[in-house]
């Protein structure tokens, strides 16, 4: 019988065998995984539970919140605030940070999350997910928003959970990417793939084509060449996929290759892009890099981008190495 490795065993081995993570970080990740299980149960209820549709509130991004945005946010806060492993949390759905209340012990970690990614897909039964990133706070001083403003290379853990046909947790602590599938009978995440590797070449791109006329020339050039297929300079045909949930598109890329693009858009020139650096681009970029891919904003490695605000936005190009490097070269030639 093959050895069944549950998430706990995987994390204990990372902690014990190569001291890659501390006991507190292991506890944090187990608590996040448990919270994702609870969110998965709420998602699976659908119309049978009071989880569909919009709430009558907007978030700091100016987006109308879905009920599940709020539910997932609350599940993550309630699950994590009493454990003593973290000092504070930040979320797409919260303007400032949530500091662990004085009645609980504070730990050294900071947890950032997009509690429900792909909100526009909630009511149409398409895969959605939760994205999370873990940083360490500075020693000593009381925790503040400033503690969260660390670049992507400072992450100590990053991952996401996809609520799709399977509920899968994908995680890195800097030692490769591991994929866990939720065994609903046991209620446990079972290791089903380890050391994911993204093929360096691909014939599949993911971008919202309806925005094509608003892109900068390097992006237009890259996609035009893909669309020309065998008759164009690429000499091969491409396929396109766009789910509208970053977790689902990135999961596909981590499992079979491809590129994901969310470019700058000239309709809002002051915004570098739609996606958020701290709890979407940074965690996904670390996973992509740990699996042998490349993640850039066109000019800079995403993980090297200085963090200046909790909800700062960034252009995102990530996935198969040779394709993203081509996109980078087109930006350099522009
Ligand atoms: P969120 O639902 O957390 O706000 O994120 C949605 C993001 C991302 O998941 C997805 O790739 C992108 O928005 C889709 O944007 P469009 O609807 O503009 O295609
Ligand atoms: Mn999102
Ligand atoms: Mn979200
Ligand atoms: Mn949102």
């Amino acid at each position: 019988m093959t050895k069944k490795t549950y998430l706990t065993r995987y994390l204990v081995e990372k902690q014990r065998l190569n001291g890659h993570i501390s006991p507190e970080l292991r506890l944090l990740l187990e608590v996040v995984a448990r919270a994702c299980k609870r969110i998965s149960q709420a998602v699976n209820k659908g119309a049978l539970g009071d989880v569909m549709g919009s709430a009558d509130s907007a978030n700091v991004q100016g987006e109308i919140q879905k009920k599940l945005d709020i539910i997932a946010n609350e599940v993550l806060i309630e699950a994590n605030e009493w454990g003593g492993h973290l000092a504070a949390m930040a979320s797409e759905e919260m303007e400032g940070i949530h500091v662990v209340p004085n009645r609980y012990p504070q730990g050294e970690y900071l947890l950032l999350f997009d509690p429900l990614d792909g909100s526009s897909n909630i009511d149409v039964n398409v895969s959605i997910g939760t994205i999370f990133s873990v940083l360490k706070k500075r020693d000593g001083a009381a925790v503040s928003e400033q503690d969260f403003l660390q670049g992507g290379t400072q992450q100590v853990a990053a991952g996401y959970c996809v609520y799709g046909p399977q509920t899968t947790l994908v995680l890195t602590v800097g030692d490769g990417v591991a994929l866990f599938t939720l065994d609903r009978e046991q209620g446990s995440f079972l290791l089903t793939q380890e050391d994911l590797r993204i093929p360096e070449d691909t014939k599949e791109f993911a971008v919202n084509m309806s925005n094509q006329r608003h892109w900068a020339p390097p992006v237009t050039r890259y996609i035009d060449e893909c669309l020309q297929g065998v008759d164009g300079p690429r000499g091969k045909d491409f396929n396109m996929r766009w789910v509208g949930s970053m977790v689902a598109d990135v999961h596909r890329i981590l499992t079979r290759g491809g590129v994901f693009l969310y470019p700058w858009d000239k309709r809002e020139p002051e915004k570098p892009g739609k996606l958020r650096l701290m709890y979407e681009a940074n965690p996904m970029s670390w996973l992509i890099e740990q699996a042998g891919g490349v993640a850039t904003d066109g000019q800079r490695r995403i993980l090297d981008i200085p963090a200046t605000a909790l909800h700062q936005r960034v252009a995102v190009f990530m996935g198969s190495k040779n394709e993203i490097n081509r996109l980078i070269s087109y930006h350099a030639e522009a």
Side-chain angles (χ1 to χ4, degrees):
M1 164 140 124
T2 52
K3 174 186 79 174
K4 278 193 169 187
T5 300
Y6 293 102
L7 174 64
T8 300
R9 176 167 185 163
Y10 176 86
L11 292 174
V12 165
E13 287 177 1
K14 287 291 170 209
Q15 173 195 327
R16 189 165 49 80
L17 295 186
N18 48 17
H20 221 85
I21 61 173
S22 68
E24 292 75 20
L25 180 54
R26 173 167 65 80
L27 171 63
L28 195 169
L29 294 171
E30 287 177 327
V31 170
V32 169
R34 240 188 334 273
C36 289
K37 261 191 290 188
R38 280 193 38 213
I39 296 168
S40 172
Q41 284 160 348
V43 168
N44 290 165
K45 275 266 188 297
L48 301 176
D50 184 18
V51 301
M52 306 287 263
S54 295
D56 52 6
S57 54
N59 62 15
V60 65
Q61 329 279 341
E63 302 164 341
I64 296 297
Q65 290 176 302
K66 295 286 194 179
K67 288 180 186 171
L68 260 179
D69 284 327
I70 297 167
I71 292 166
N73 194 59
E74 285 165 359
V75 166
L76 282 156
I77 287 178
E78 283 158 17
N80 280 288
E81 66 176 356
W82 49 269
H85 47 275
L86 57 77
M89 293 175 253
S91 163
E92 178 199 347
E93 303 304 330
M94 294 189 300
E95 183 148 8
I97 64 172
H98 176 89
V99 178
V100 167
N102 291 333
R103 62 183 178 281
Y104 300 128
Q106 273 201 10
E108 59 181 334
Y109 292 104
L110 304 172
L111 178 64
L112 303 94
F113 45 82
D114 173 358
L116 206 294
D117 175 67
S119 306
S120 64
N121 284 324
I122 291 170
D123 298 340
V124 293
N125 197 15
V126 169
S127 296
I128 48 183
T130 296
I131 309 171
F132 60 90
S133 171
V134 184
L135 297 167
K136 286 186 78 169
K137 85 173 180 67
R138 285 170 311 192
D139 294 334
V143 67
S144 72
E145 190 163 314
Q146 196 58 36
D147 286 290
F148 283 80
L149 303 184
Q150 301 178 45
T153 54
Q154 299 307 302
Q155 295 176 97
V156 293
Y160 61 82
C161 194
V162 188
Y163 312 120
Q166 301 98 44
T167 289
T168 45
L169 180 76
V170 178
L171 175 70
T172 186
V173 292
D175 193 21
V177 178
L179 193 158
F180 301 84
T181 302
L182 180 62
D183 173 350
R184 290 198 184 281
E185 281 81 48
Q186 300 256 348
S188 307
F189 281 106
L190 201 56
L191 180 67
T192 45
Q193 208 175 336
E194 207 169 355
D195 292 332
L196 275 69
R197 302 303 295 170
I198 301 175
E200 295 190 349
D201 292 299
T202 183
K203 294 181 177 179
E204 197 160 66
F205 65 87
V207 69
N208 182 335
M209 287 297 291
S210 68
N211 301 329
Q212 188 174 24
R213 64 189 183 285
H214 307 304
W215 298 335
V219 183
T220 311
R221 174 185 173 191
Y222 176 77
I223 293 295
D224 280 349
E225 289 180 358
C226 290
L227 294 174
Q228 290 172 47
V230 281
D231 308 323
R234 302 304 313 277
K236 60 182 181 179
D237 287 338
F238 281 75
N239 187 36
M240 195 207 94
R241 287 284 182 276
W242 184 251
V243 181
S245 301
M246 185 182 196
V247 282
D249 283 311
V250 170
H251 189 73
R252 186 189 56 256
I253 289 165
L254 276 170
T255 43
R256 75 180 188 210
V259 292
F260 174 95
L261 287 63
Y262 211 109
W264 168 87
D265 182 320
K266 68 183 177 199
R267 286 171 296 183
E268 297 186 280
E270 76 294 341
K271 267 190 201 171
K274 169 180 183 180
L275 300 180
R276 283 58 58 117
L277 177 68
M278 299 307 291
Y279 42 80
E280 288 175 317
N282 271 344
M284 291 309 206
S285 295
W286 198 23
L287 289 163
I288 290 282
E289 288 197 2
Q290 281 286 310
V294 175
T296 176
D297 71 348
Q299 276 85 21
R300 299 168 294 177
R301 179 185 180 220
I302 285 179
L303 294 182
D304 289 339
I305 295 175
T308 55
L310 269 187
H311 301 293
Q312 85 186 69
R313 296 172 189 263
V314 65
V316 174
F317 307 102
M318 54 172 61
S320 290
K321 180 176 174 182
N322 295 338
E323 288 299 318
I324 300 298
N325 284 337
R326 175 183 289 268
L327 246 173
I328 291 170
S329 68
Y330 290 3
H331 279 82
E333 290 165 22

